């Protein structure tokens, strides 16, 4: 597991290379160089992409009230929570416990990412973010923008795409200066986090062998 975490952290920064696929290619290359099965590595990347996209899509549903105000309220939130529970059950029944844990970690990661965006908005201009269910929609808007940026071919780490989607979803919901600051600050935070993960990956990678070699 330590080798896998280190390899993921080291290669993840390659998503900033134009093309938005080189972090996956990097993991494939590093794994094959270590003697791991090309098929297993490719399957792992496909499963990662599918699970994180599913997690992002489900959480993004919570942003729909920003486009369709009639959905704004706790009934819609409860419906999405029900869908999330159903999705977790389906993943468990079809893919097993380990991948269910991974799926739930993706949900946690994306939820924390959206919360980071919310915190930036609240710190900069607390009067621009109403309390309650609007906070949830605000977090989900960031997740939706992240998902579209991730799935857009060619955009390095969703650069530009993510910011445009956030501006589209929230342009009528808060002051333009606050929104622009939150978008740029969150991007800087994301780059800093990826850089920190790369440093940690370098430290973990030292004297660590891939699973098959350890055996």
């Amino acid at each position: 597991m330590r080798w896998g975490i280190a390899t993921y952290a080291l290669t993840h920064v390659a998503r900033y290379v134009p093309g938005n696929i080189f972090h996956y290619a990097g993991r494939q290359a590093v794994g094959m160089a270590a003697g791991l099965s090309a098929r297993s590595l490719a399957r792992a990347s496909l499963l990662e992409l599918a699970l994180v996209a599913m997690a992002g899509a489900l959480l993004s549903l919570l942003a729909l009230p920003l486009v369709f105000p009639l959905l704004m309220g706790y009934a819609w939130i409860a419906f999405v929570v029900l869908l999330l529970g159903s999705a977790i059950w389906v993943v468990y029944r079809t893919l097993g416990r380990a991948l269910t844990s991974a799926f739930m970690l993706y949900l946690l990661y994306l939820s924390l990412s959206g919360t980071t965006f919310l915190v930036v908005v609240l710190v900069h201009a607390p009067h621009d973010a109403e309390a309650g269910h609007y906070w949830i929609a605000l977090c989900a808007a960031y997740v939706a923008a992240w998902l579209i940026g991730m799935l857009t071919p060619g955009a390095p780490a969703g650069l530009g795409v993510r910011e445009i989607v956030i501006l589209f979803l929230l342009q009528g919901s808060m002051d333009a200066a606050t929104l622009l600051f939150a978008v740029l600050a969150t991007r800087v935070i994301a780059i800093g986090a990826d850089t920190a993960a790369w440093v940690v990956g370098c430290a973990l990678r030292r004297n660590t062998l891939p699973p098959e070699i350890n055996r």
Side-chain angles (χ1 to χ4, degrees), residues 106-177:
Y106 288 137
L107 289 172
L108 176 62
Y109 162 73
L110 292 175
S111 298
L112 291 175
S113 297
T115 302
T116 300
F117 179 74
L118 173 62
V119 169
V120 171
V121 171
L122 293 177
V123 168
H124 185 258
H127 58 279
D128 278 341
E130 302 172 10
H133 44 69
Y134 179 74
W135 284 10
I136 296 176
L138 201 64
C139 294
Y142 180 83
V143 175
W146 175 91
L147 176 63
I148 294 172
M150 183 195 73
L151 296 177
T152 301
L159 187 62
V161 177
R162 185 188 304 176
E163 287 75 13
I164 289 173
V165 174
I166 293 178
L167 291 172
F168 169 76
L169 290 174
L170 300 176
Q171 60 182 341
S173 302
M174 65 179 67
D175 178 72

Side-chain angles (χ1 to χ4, degrees), residues 39-111:
R39 178 177 296 182
S40 296
L41 291 165
R43 181 174 180 269
S45 291
L46 289 174
L47 284 171
E48 175 198 352
L49 183 59
L51 290 177
V52 75
M54 184 191 303
L58 288 169
L59 291 175
S60 296
L61 293 176
L62 294 169
L64 283 180
L66 296 170
V67 181
F68 305 103
L70 289 177
L71 294 176
M72 187 67 77
Y74 292 109
W76 178 251
I77 295 172
F79 174 71
V80 175
V81 170
L82 181 62
L83 286 180
L84 286 169
S86 300
I88 291 171
W89 182 83
V90 170
V91 171
Y92 177 77
R93 296 291 296 177
T94 57
L95 299 177
R97 180 176 298 178
L99 289 177
T100 301
S101 297
F103 179 62
M104 293 177 70
L105 286 173
Y106 288 137
L107 289 172
L108 176 62
Y109 162 73
L110 292 175
S111 298

Side-chain angles (χ1 to χ4, degrees), residues 4-22:
I5 293 173
T7 300
Y8 189 95
L10 285 171
T11 57
H12 197 60
V13 293
R15 70 194 183 114
Y16 290 98
V17 177
N20 205 22
I21 61 169
F22 290 101

